[in-house]
Amino acid sequence: MSPFFSPIRKKVIFFDMNNTILDRRQCFDSAFLEVMNDFTARWDPGEMLFTSQEALQSYKMEWSRHRKTPIRSPISPDELRHICLRKALQPMPVSVTPAFTRSFFEQVEEQEDHFVALFPGVEDTLEALSHNYKLAIISNGNRKRLLNNLEKMKLTRWIDQDRLFSSEKDGPRKPHPAIFERALKTMSTASNQSVMVGNSWRNDVVGAASSGMDAIWIHPGNIKKISERRIGKQKVIIIRSFKQLLYTF
């Protein structure tokens, strides 16, 4: 299979961080269970009508149900977390107040970095791509946390902090064009010389295309192994996993 992009035409590859390079879903699950187990350890075994794993699955199902609603309600992510946690812990002997939810997820966030993990093939793929391209990150995540993750996972071998662009420091959140344009300017590259890689169609793919960049969408549920679409004049390649990037460059 011929690559879709080449070093002759492309100079910089921008990556999303969470759920593109880092498997945030896995570390959230592990952190949720860790915090849940800490809470339930204080209770009488006779009060346990639900296991921590069942609570996690109930929370995720409730979250998914709300997110798939055709007409999204105007509630904030914090409110949605509270609604889903209250539903998930309904069989348990605890009053899920907004204060409880806030404390619970603060502890989950603290635990998450203990479980942070890369998707399979990330290190080998970044190493191979770094020989022909400059690598950088554009993320909506918390900058301090992103930097900690870069260092902990030893990703600074390929992407140092000067190539990390976050909405916290570099303007509006994706998909707003401003954060992409800021990254392009700082990297001294043109939009047609750059590619954005991410797992979010709206934030990464549409956002990049609106700035004149081609994009690669990592979509595990894609029917074909690799396929191609267009957003206006911009090329969008769809792959199932991070390590398939080696087939696109």
Side-chain angles (χ1 to χ4, degrees):
M1 177 183 292
S2 299
F4 294 91
F5 305 111
S6 72
I8 297 175
R9 296 181 179 276
K10 303 298 182 184
K11 306 301 178 186
V12 179
I13 306 173
F14 293 100
F15 299 90
D16 174 48
M17 187 73 156
N18 294 325
N19 293 317
T20 295
I21 288 177
L22 298 181
D23 188 350
R24 277 287 172 195
R25 294 185 182 90
Q26 174 185 307
C27 65
F28 172 83
D29 289 0
S30 299
F32 186 103
L33 290 173
E34 186 77 9
V35 175
M36 199 68 240
N37 287 334
D38 183 53
F39 274 110
T40 58
R42 309 167 194 172
W43 301 339
D44 187 308
E47 296 179 304
M48 290 295 295
L49 303 176
F50 224 40
T51 67
S52 297
Q53 185 66 48
E54 287 172 321
L56 171 62
Q57 294 308 314
S58 177
Y59 175 84
K60 291 169 67 174
M61 286 176 63
E62 192 68 14
W63 178 273
S64 180
R65 185 177 70 82
H66 279 275
R67 297 294 289 178
K68 288 180 180 178
T69 302
I71 300 177
R72 297 272 180 88
S73 58
I75 62 175
S76 69
D78 286 341
E79 290 174 307
L80 181 54
R81 278 193 288 268
H82 175 60
I83 291 169
C84 296
L85 188 66
R86 186 174 58 193
K87 176 73 173 179
L89 303 190
Q90 199 170 21
M92 293 186 168
V94 59
S95 175
V96 183
T97 64
F100 176 92
T101 298
R102 186 165 53 253
S103 173
F104 183 90
F105 283 107
E106 284 173 355
Q107 292 179 63
V108 169
E109 186 169 321
E110 288 174 5
Q111 289 291 330
E112 275 189 295
D113 286 340
H114 295 297
F115 297 101
V116 66
L118 301 173
F119 281 105
V122 165
E123 293 174 302
D124 291 342
T125 302
L126 292 180
E127 174 62 26
L129 293 175
S130 69
H131 294 300
N132 295 311
Y133 304 91
K134 292 181 180 179
L135 310 182
I137 286 172
I138 303 177
S139 174
N140 285 341
N142 176 276
R143 184 173 182 83
K144 182 178 179 181
R145 194 178 188 192
L146 291 167
L147 285 170
N148 288 339
N149 291 158
L150 274 177
E151 292 172 0
K152 181 175 182 177
M153 305 313 295
K154 297 181 171 58
L155 297 176
T156 49
R157 287 175 284 174
W158 307 289
I159 305 169
D160 62 35
Q161 64 178 357
D162 293 333
R163 295 181 183 180
L164 170 60
F165 304 95
S166 66
S167 55
E168 187 177 50
K169 178 185 176 184
D170 300 294
R173 295 172 62 83
K174 296 181 295 184
H176 196 287
I179 190 170
F180 294 96
E181 291 164 3
R182 169 80 177 190
L184 290 168
K185 182 177 180 180
T186 303
M187 295 294 293
S188 300
T189 186
S191 58
N192 63 0
Q193 294 179 314
S194 308
V195 181
M196 179 69 199
V197 179
N199 72 298
S200 170
W201 178 263
R202 178 176 178 270
N203 289 344
D204 301 316
V205 177
V206 176
S210 69
S211 303
M213 296 168 60
D214 291 330
I216 298 174
W217 185 30
I218 301 179
H219 178 45
N222 194 41
I223 296 174
K224 294 182 179 180
K225 189 174 182 180
I226 298 179
S227 56
E228 182 178 349
R229 290 189 194 175
R230 289 273 175 178
I231 298 181
K233 296 180 180 180
Q234 304 314 128
K235 182 187 296 184
V236 179
I237 306 304
I238 307 171
I239 59 178
R240 293 177 182 170
S241 66
F242 194 93
K243 56 189 176 183
Q244 284 183 307
L245 287 172
L246 294 178
Y247 298 106
T248 65
F249 289 97

